[in-house]
Amino acid sequence: DVIGEQKMELKDILNLIAIFIIPVVAVIVGQHLQNRAEIRKDKMHIFKVLMTSRIYGWTVDSVHALNLIDVVFAKDKAVRAAWKELYEAYSSTEQSDLMANKRKNLMYKLLEEIANNIGYKKEITWETIQNPYIPQGMVEKWQEQAASQQAYTNILLNMQDMIPKSNKTEESNEQ
């Protein structure tokens, strides 16, 4: 043996590998966990917005949330299929009560699929989704606003009939 020459033993090699590999693996695992947490946060945001806006039909926030589904739930076929069905129903020009009911049920189906995806399959049921809390006072306020809006429209239509037509309109009619 030569003095001063050191042999690298297996444990030394393993220590060197551990010194370099463990921090890299820790960063990769940490990034993966952070990405998963961010995706879950986005999914929860969409779910909360859609659950809270289901009593209104749609809001600006709910439209934004619906438009994010294909990105946030890119890997979930069931959610995307439910969204596709709802999208097709929303795209229809049919305005019947039957279509309105179909749209509502498809929205509930989408909410159910999202609930399943985020781990609330047992906690948030079809019954829970179908029964949002709507205070009677809020319903009465909506009805009053709708009646006021209709009255205002009627006044404007009546005023339109009372305003004399301009001379230009009469002249063009005479020719």
Side-chain angles (χ1 to χ4, degrees), residues 73-172:
F73 292 92
K75 296 179 181 178
D76 190 305
K77 291 179 183 177
V79 171
R80 293 187 67 204
W83 163 229
K84 183 180 181 210
E85 282 187 76
L86 178 59
Y87 178 84
E88 288 170 1
Y90 278 160
S91 298
S92 170
T93 57
E94 184 182 336
Q95 296 300 321
S96 67
D97 288 342
L98 185 64
M99 179 54 83
N101 195 43
K102 179 180 180 179
R103 288 178 181 130
K104 182 173 70 172
N105 284 329
L106 288 172
M107 174 56 91
Y108 294 162
K109 178 67 176 161
L110 174 62
L111 287 166
E112 183 180 41
E113 290 298 338
I114 293 173
N116 291 344
N117 179 272
I118 58 178
Y120 290 124
K121 185 175 187 168
K122 293 180 182 176
E123 294 84 0
I124 300 176
T125 63
W126 181 258
E127 185 178 318
T128 306
I129 292 168
Q130 282 187 304
N131 294 305
Y133 171 65
I134 307 172
Q136 185 58 36
M138 181 182 250
V139 172
E140 290 168 2
K141 185 175 180 181
W142 287 341
Q143 291 169 340
E144 288 172 8
Q145 287 174 343
S148 295
Q149 196 169 20
Q150 185 60 48
Y152 181 71
T153 300
N154 291 340
I155 289 170
L156 290 176
L157 290 173
N158 289 334
M159 287 179 66
Q160 184 179 18
D161 293 338
M162 294 176 3
I163 297 174
K165 296 182 178 176
S166 71
N167 289 338
K168 290 181 183 178
T169 305
E170 290 173 8
E171 289 174 9
S172 65

Side-chain angles (χ1 to χ4, degrees), residues 10-22:
L10 181 59
K11 71 176 187 168
D12 295 328
I13 293 171
L14 290 176
N15 278 337
L16 284 174
I17 291 172
I19 288 170
F20 292 107
I21 299 294
I22 288 176

Side-chain angles (χ1 to χ4, degrees), residues 25-57:
V25 169
V27 167
I28 292 170
V29 169
Q31 187 64 45
H32 175 72
L33 293 174
Q34 189 175 1
N35 289 346
R36 281 183 53 192
E38 188 66 28
I39 290 170
R40 174 145 175 85
K41 181 180 165 192
D42 291 345
K43 288 177 178 184
M44 284 298 296
H45 173 74
I46 289 170
F47 185 66
K48 287 177 185 179
V49 167
L50 295 178
M51 282 293 285
T52 57
S53 66
R54 71 190 189 270
I55 64 173
Y56 305 110

